[in-house]
Amino acid sequence: EVQLVESGGGLVQPGGSLRVSCVVSGFSFDNYAMSWVRQAPGKGLEWVSTISSSGGTYFVDSVKGRFTISRDNSRNTLYLQMNSLRAEDSAIYFCAKDKARWSGYWNYWGQGTLVIVSS
Amino acid sequence: QSVLTQPPSASGTPGQRVTISCSGGSSNIGSFTVNWYQQLPGTAPKLLIYTNNQRPSGVPDRFSGSKSGTSASLAISGLQSEDEADYYCATWDDSLNGFLFGGGTKVTVL
């Protein structure tokens, strides 16, 4: 059974940093692209970042230079390092598994971890 | 405001057909396939349609997708109460070099 479990969310002050993680099981992690998608309270979905199976990374413009995505294939874990956090980064952060090495759609999602940026 | 435009809401009575549009441009829908996600209240999104019109296993055939030019559509036939959810279209955008979601459409079963 495929499982994705996010953790690491919490309350952080503006300008602060936070790292969220996604531990996966039930599939060969290193064979798939992985992504982070966020959803601000009461708002729609927003793609944040993707890391390909070979390590290539992509980011939405609003987080470029502030967020880093990485993966530890030995630990079956996806990370999102978030620096210089802003109030507008407050959201539920979902990790999502690509259907293939790079298909452009996500067939499994975690339950999400909540990040609140506030003083 | 999203680059992919969806109506904010749609509704129908049980058994009716509801259609949701997703309008984009040449750098996104016009060049790449479209996927649709369903998000039930308080849950994570779920893949509903991929590559314009393909259904993952387990998705009822009441759900169908199509694409023409720079627009795509999701149709729900035989609307059921459990279809009340938010629906999002998504695709890649070559100009932005990233993925895009539509703003989402809330479907209400009257």
Side-chain angles (χ1 to χ4, degrees), chain A:
Chain A
E1 180 192 6
V2 173
Q3 288 193 317
L4 293 80
V5 180
E6 301 96 334
S7 62
L11 175 64
V12 60
Q13 292 190 337
S17 298
L18 199 64
R19 187 179 79 164
V20 292
S21 304
C22 174
V23 176
V24 312
S25 59
F27 64 99
S28 298
F29 179 62
D30 53 353
N31 284 341
Y32 295 87
M34 297 291 297
S35 297
W36 288 99
V37 173
R38 67 185 178 184
Q39 186 170 37
K43 303 296 184 182
L45 300 174
E46 180 185 35
W47 168 77
V48 176
S49 181
T50 295
I51 184 166
S52 70
S53 57
S54 57
T57 60
Y58 305 81
F59 298 91
V60 66
D61 282 350
S62 61
V63 309
K64 283 179 182 174
R66 299 188 300 123
F67 288 14
T68 303
I69 188 172
S70 62
R71 61 193 301 161
D72 185 336
N73 292 337
S74 67
R75 295 177 183 269
N76 285 352
T77 303
L78 175 72
Y79 302 101
L80 185 68
Q81 175 67 44
M82 303 181 287
N83 299 328
S84 303
L85 282 161
R86 307 166 180 167
E88 55 265 34
D89 296 317
S90 295
I92 298 173
Y93 283 74
F94 298 100
C95 68
K97 169 192 169 293
D98 198 290
K99 176 71 162 57
R101 288 186 179 274
W102 187 279
S103 70
Y105 53 91
W106 306 291
N107 60 343
Y108 286 96
W109 297 65
Q111 84 290 346
T113 187
L114 179 62
V115 173
I116 301 174
V117 184
S118 175
S119 55

Side-chain angles (χ1 to χ4, degrees), chain B residues 40-103:
Chain B
L40 297 170
T43 69
K46 168 191 168 184
L47 181 64
L48 194 67
I49 296 287
Y50 65 95
T51 318
N52 301 331
N53 55 18
Q54 302 299 301
R55 282 186 309 276
S57 60
V59 173
D61 59 6
R62 303 184 291 103
F63 294 93
S64 62
S66 64
K67 176 188 141 176
S68 178
T70 59
S71 293
S73 293
L74 173 72
I76 310 172
S77 58
L79 193 65
Q80 299 183 6
S81 58
E82 57 260 40
D83 298 334
E84 277 208 345
D86 294 321
Y87 294 84
Y88 296 89
C89 58
T91 188
W92 179 263
D93 188 292
D94 232 7
S95 297
L96 299 175
N97 202 36
F99 291 101
L100 287 174
F101 282 98

